[in-house]
Amino acid sequence: MKKITVPMLNLLLAAGVVLILVGLLLISRFSVGFGESLPVVSIATMIFGAVIFYVAMTLVHWALFFFMGLLVFFMGLCMTFVFSNVLPFGPEHLWPIAVLLCGICLILTCFFKHRKIRGVYLFPSILIEVLGFCFLLFSMNIIKVPLSQFMAKWGPLLLVLAGAALVGIFFWQRNFNDFFPYDKDELSGLTDEEKEFYGE
């Protein structure tokens, strides 16, 4: 089979992105009904995110563009589904959903940049996902205490626990780095003294 050229691959990617956009817009359109209009801001956000994603995949190959394109696209998609009542959320739930999407996009960016999961992306994305899930519980009133009151009471303890976890990770990595989920190439940019410090 003849190898597909780069311009043809870019055309295939563009066609795929357009088909995904059209399909998602039709899903939200059918759920709203043809008598009502979809919010222009959310559709424009989706299209803008898709354009940034396409540019990241075909022209600049920057991880930041890839991350931003995915995040903006998914936020536009969530806004479209929220405003068209496909998702059982209101506009006040969009900010914790954005936090959740940041964690997902960070993992996808890791795959884009390294073609595998790396610890330097994995731990922040897990933390972001946990925070987003907690924020969603507060915004949906599943946890009845207001977030500001909860943070005033329990925030200092959470900071202590987070700091202790980071110190624990540091010592675990320093003493048991063969069992820690980091790749050896993550430490390749270190100086000889730093490698000796981390046991390399």
Side-chain angles (χ1 to χ4, degrees):
M1 182 177 173
K2 188 177 178 182
K3 189 174 180 181
I4 301 176
T5 61
V6 172
M8 188 60 162
L9 283 174
N10 292 346
L11 186 62
L12 286 174
L13 178 64
V17 169
V18 168
L19 288 175
I20 290 170
L21 274 172
V22 170
L24 290 172
L25 289 174
L26 285 175
I27 289 171
S28 59
R29 184 69 173 157
F30 285 133
S31 65
V32 153
F34 286 99
E36 301 177 32
S37 61
L38 290 173
V40 176
V41 174
S42 59
I43 294 171
T45 304
M46 273 177 61
I47 293 171
F48 183 63
V51 169
I52 296 174
F53 172 79
Y54 180 79
V55 168
M57 292 296 293
T58 58
L59 297 176
V60 295
H61 304 287
W62 292 346
L64 179 62
F65 268 47
F66 182 87
F67 176 82
M68 291 305 297
L70 281 181
L71 182 60
V72 171
F73 174 79
F74 285 143
M75 274 309 297
L77 178 64
C78 283
M79 288 166 58
T80 303
F81 284 169
V82 164
F83 294 142
S84 59
N85 298 319
V86 174
L87 293 177
F89 299 118
E92 68 275 6
H93 301 125
L94 285 175
W95 72 270
I97 292 173
V99 176
L100 287 168
L101 289 175
C102 282
I104 294 169
C105 292
L106 194 59
I107 287 290
L108 294 174
T109 303
C110 178
F111 277 115
F112 169 73
K113 188 173 181 182
H114 302 288
R115 306 294 188 258
K116 59 184 174 180
I117 293 181
R118 297 182 68 173
V120 72
Y121 287 87
L122 180 64
F123 294 117
S125 63
I126 290 173
L127 178 63
I128 291 169
E129 288 297 306
V130 169
L131 284 174
F133 182 71
C134 291
F135 292 153
L136 192 60
L137 292 177
F138 280 103
S139 70
M140 295 180 71
N141 289 326
I142 294 173
I143 299 176
K144 301 297 184 187
V145 179
L147 179 60
S148 58
Q149 185 179 348
F150 178 84
M151 290 307 294
K153 185 174 183 180
W154 296 102
L157 178 62
L158 293 175
L159 288 175
V160 170
L161 291 175
L166 293 175
V167 170
I169 289 171
F170 168 80
F171 283 112
W172 183 273
Q173 169 64 26
R174 186 172 178 190
N175 297 322
F176 305 103
N177 60 344
D178 289 337
F179 304 103
F180 204 74
Y182 280 115
D183 292 328
K184 296 291 184 187
D185 61 338
E186 288 187 15
L187 301 174
S188 63
L190 300 178
T191 64
D192 291 336
E193 293 83 17
E194 290 170 330
K195 287 180 182 178
E196 183 178 333
F197 178 76
Y198 287 107
E200 286 297 302

